[in-house]
Amino acid sequence: MAYIVGGAGVSHSPQLSIEPGGWRAHGDLEQPHLKELNLPSSPRTPEELAREIEIRQIEARHKACQEALERTRDELLEMKPDVLLVVGDDQRELFLDDIMPAVAIFRGESLDDRPPGMEVYPKTMESAYEYYHADVDETYRTVPELGQHLVEHLVENGFDIAQFSEQPTGRSLGHAFTFIYRRLFEGLPRLPLAPIMLNTYYPPNQPTPRRCVELGQGLRAAIESWDSDLRVALIASGGLTHPIIDEGLDRGLLSALERHDHEALAQIPVAGLTEGSSEIRNWIVVGAALEDATAKVVDYIPAYRSTVGSGCGMGFLTWTRSL
């Protein structure tokens, strides 16, 4: 059977690849897309937030993020995986309103990064774009045998899974997946990808936190029943809370993951899992799948970028299993 070697949770925010001097510009709330979100208020006071966006504080937060990325990468490499099973969300990249599956598994031979061009992103993301997309179409090798097995096993055990083996015309593999290769494992040989795509963003069919726990447990059983000698690492891509940072929610999630407290994970209020914060669902799935692994927070950095508390709660966590 296949062996799960462990895994990691890692944020994929553009702030990880924007120099400190660009954080505040990226957080400018005059940007139309931010004004339209009807964002909640930050739990932090205006005085606290003013201190958070002083340049020396931003520089310190940026440095901590780079160090956490490196440590997370190094711990994953020590696990010597053969396959990366990445649980991530698709943000209207492969799936649009013609079909928006709650959970989708790819069972084809490969998926392509079909770069949309920098013009679809805010100009403040210019330095981060290369860590989401290539300049030209680029192919990612996938694991059709594993994809097929996951679909069959999960369906047999009560999960209604969308599956596809052909990439929709004109649509790209999403940045939740490309970031792992282009930024976390930058410059390293690319391991095969097994993508699990969760609809975290778009109502009305996002999986509940409890269903994410169940899905993680189902994924673990499916992987371990796969007739293969390959070593599989699981990665949760995205999060934590953003665009408004909620440190209490983030720290509570990380604590529950370290304790393997599935009931606490299942009871995370859905109301807090909107916009980018919805990517916490990816972490719940991976945490439930790695329930017998040692979970350790590498770091948590509340990376603020404006006086209203916008930014990203940068989370980095690893799970390791004894051989």
Side-chain angles (χ1 to χ4, degrees):
M1 69 177 186
Y3 185 73
I4 299 175
V5 295
V10 59
S11 297
H12 61 228
S13 168
Q15 281 176 254
L16 293 168
S17 308
I18 296 173
E19 290 300 315
W23 278 21
R24 288 187 292 199
H26 189 61
D28 182 1
L29 289 184
E30 293 306 310
Q31 294 181 41
H33 75 284
L34 289 175
K35 294 174 72 175
E36 294 168 1
L37 292 181
N38 192 26
L39 299 173
S41 298
S42 171
R44 301 288 294 271
T45 68
E47 292 77 18
E48 290 172 332
L49 292 169
R51 290 192 293 271
E52 284 290 345
I53 64 168
E54 292 175 355
I55 188 59
R56 280 185 290 186
Q57 178 71 310
I58 288 177
E59 289 172 343
R61 301 288 200 207
H62 182 271
K63 182 173 184 289
C65 287
Q66 308 315 305
E67 292 172 350
L69 268 173
E70 292 175 7
R71 283 166 27 214
T72 303
R73 176 204 62 207
D74 291 346
E75 291 191 32
L76 280 166
L77 290 174
E78 287 178 7
M79 299 174 196
K80 296 181 171 58
D82 300 308
V83 175
L84 299 181
L85 188 151
V86 180
V87 181
D89 53 308
D90 182 86
Q91 294 181 36
R92 299 191 182 278
E93 292 150 318
L94 281 175
F95 303 120
L96 302 175
D97 288 340
D98 51 3
I99 182 67
M100 186 66 70
V103 183
I105 294 177
F106 183 70
R107 58 182 186 86
E109 298 282 347
S110 65
L111 285 166
D112 289 342
D113 170 18
R114 296 170 177 162
M118 179 59 208
E119 60 270 16
V120 306
Y121 290 100
K123 290 192 68 175
T124 54
M125 270 191 59
E126 189 168 4
S127 62
Y129 178 82
E130 66 178 293
Y131 298 110
Y132 284 170
H133 295 289
D135 292 328
V136 297
D137 287 8
E138 197 169 64
T139 298
Y140 287 75
R141 183 163 53 102
T142 54
V143 192
E145 301 84 3
L146 177 55
Q148 179 81 19
H149 177 78
L150 292 177
V151 172
E152 292 174 348
H153 191 281
L154 288 167
V155 169
E156 288 172 3
N157 287 275
F159 293 89
D160 297 319
I161 301 295
Q163 57 81 23
F164 64 117
S165 57
E166 294 184 10
Q167 185 167 352
T169 301
R171 301 182 190 178
S172 178
L173 177 64
H175 69 275
F177 304 93
T178 58
F179 175 90
I180 298 302
Y181 291 87
R182 298 189 65 82
R183 184 69 169 88
L184 182 62
F185 292 116
E186 181 181 6
L188 297 176
R190 290 185 177 173
L191 296 172
L193 166 67
I196 308 295
M197 297 160 183
L198 244 57
N199 174 26
T200 75
Y201 262 77
Y202 307 109
N205 67 329
Q206 304 110 306
T208 65
R210 186 170 299 279
R211 193 56 169 164
C212 289
V213 169
E214 295 167 351
L215 177 60
Q217 293 169 328
L219 274 175
R220 185 233 176 87
I223 296 166
E224 292 190 332
S225 69
W226 183 36
D227 185 15
S228 169
D229 61 359
L230 294 180
R231 298 162 61 87
V232 181
L234 280 63
I235 299 179
S237 177
L240 296 175
T241 55
H242 66 287
I244 296 296
I245 297 174
D246 184 339
E247 294 183 44
L249 176 53
D250 289 341
R251 295 183 191 280
L253 168 76
L254 294 171
S255 176
L257 289 168
E258 283 191 311
R259 302 191 315 271
H260 299 290
D261 189 340
H262 290 174
E263 189 56 31
L265 295 173
Q267 291 186 19
I268 291 175
V270 171
L273 303 182
T274 59
E275 295 299 327
S277 303
S278 70
E279 293 168 341
I280 282 171
R281 290 177 169 91
N282 302 330
W283 291 61
I284 296 173
V285 171
V286 172
L290 293 170
E291 58 188 354
D292 70 338
T294 300
K296 179 189 68 176
V297 174
V298 175
D299 205 350
Y300 172 71
I301 303 110
Y304 290 96
R305 64 190 189 217
S306 80
T307 55
V308 298
S310 64
C312 184
M314 303 288 191
F316 306 88
L317 186 147
T318 58
W319 291 268
T320 54
R321 296 185 72 195
S322 301
L323 298 178

